[in-house]
Every structure is written in C-alpha cells, then in structure tokens.
Amino acid sequence: MNTKFKIELFDETEVERLPIHYKTIEYFEKFVAENILSEFKIILNTKWIHSFGIFFDSADYKNIPEHLKSFDGIEKYLVILPPNTFSKESIKSYSVQFFASKIKDNPKGEFIGFCEMMLDYIETFFVMNYKKVKETDFINIRQNVDWEYLKSIKYPADLKDQHFVGK
C-alpha cells in the first residue's frame, strides 16, 4: 500500500521523550488509513504524502505560553503547525507539538495518555482540514481503536524499538 499518511516521532533533546514503541505509530498510521482515509475517501488519490512529525513540548499544558495561545492550530492541548511543502518530493510536512505534561497527567498512565492524545490530534487535524469529517464522526471512529492490541505493545519500549528521528 502506498502510504499517504505518515507519522514520525522526533527527538531533539531526549529530555521529554516518551519511550513509544514503533508499532504504536504503525498502528495509528494503519488506523487512519482504514478508518478515515478510506472511509471518507480523502488524501488517497492525491500525489501528496502527508507527513506528521510529533514533537514533545516540555511546557506545562496548564500554563500554555502566550505565543502559543493565539495560534490558530492549538486545540485540545495540541499545536499543529501549517505544513511545509516539498513539491519535488510531493510531501506536505506538518509539525505537531504534544504537551508531555498532558500525557503524563493522564490518570490511565503515560502510554494511554499518549494514545488518547494521538486520537485527539487525528481528530483535530481531520476536522480542521476536511469538511467531510465532523467531530461527531469521531464518536464512531474512536470505538474502532483496538485498545487490547495497543496495551499489548511494550511500554516503555527499549531504545532500539523506539525509532525516533533524532538530532
């Protein structure tokens, strides 16, 4: 399958890095392809690859910095920056900031917090950018998450299984 939706975890400092197993990211890429792209018939027939770089922000989400509060892409404690377009490679590259403190504050634990934030991000991105996709659609989409599979993925993952894009 030609991937049109790609997620990468970026790590510049290793300070706020969460030890996420690469299989978690592969799961969400497949989840989006099956439950959103195919279902709503979006992105699949475009020449563009939508690439999302997830960065962990060390700022406390309860006290979001002023320069982020006014940003249009902030919602659900996420910051989705406008894409950088690489025409030659047909890539639209988005930077997405996850507030690590929001993930760590999840009462179900860090890993579930990360997964829930991934779902928030996926919902926010598609609702903001595709008129076909509504917030109400995500009630059903979220029910398709295979939590048993996700919980079976090792967390914290060994360094060799994290596959962060680094410095």
Side-chain angles (χ1 to χ4, degrees), residues 5-10 50-54 94 96 121 125:
F5 183 88
K6 183 172 180 53
I7 301 169
E8 294 179 297
L9 297 178
F10 280 83
H50 291 69
S51 177
F52 298 86
I54 307 291
Y94 298 83
V96 184
Y121 145 65
F125 175 78

Side-chain angles (χ1 to χ4, degrees), residues 4-5 32-33 35-46 50 125-127 129-133:
K4 294 291 184 177
F5 183 88
V32 166
N35 291 279
I36 300 170
L37 307 186
S38 293
E39 194 67 31
F40 292 94
K41 297 181 182 15
I42 53 177
I43 297 179
L44 294 173
N45 294 323
T46 180
H50 291 69
F125 175 78
F126 285 100
V127 168
N129 291 290
Y130 294 91
K131 292 178 183 176
K132 290 182 175 184
V133 185

Side-chain angles (χ1 to χ4, degrees), residues 53-106:
I54 307 291
F55 294 85
F56 295 104
D57 195 318
S58 61
D60 185 348
Y61 72 97
K62 295 174 187 167
N63 300 304
I64 296 172
E66 287 301 317
H67 72 281
L68 293 180
K69 284 182 182 177
S70 62
F71 183 69
D72 289 341
I74 189 161
E75 202 170 315
K76 295 187 180 188
Y77 302 109
L78 298 163
V79 177
I80 303 172
L81 300 173
N84 290 316
T85 304
F86 303 94
S87 298
K88 188 174 178 182
E89 296 85 2
S90 298
I91 295 174
K92 288 185 181 182
S93 178
Y94 298 83
S95 293
V96 184
Q97 290 177 276
F98 278 28
F99 290 96
S101 58
K102 174 75 173 165
I103 294 168
K104 291 176 179 178
D105 282 354
N106 191 296

Side-chain angles (χ1 to χ4, degrees), residues 100-118:
S101 58
K102 174 75 173 165
I103 294 168
K104 291 176 179 178
D105 282 354
N106 191 296
K108 297 176 189 167
E110 268 183 18
F111 181 68
I112 298 302
F114 172 78
C115 293
E116 288 180 352
M117 206 144 173
M118 280 297 294

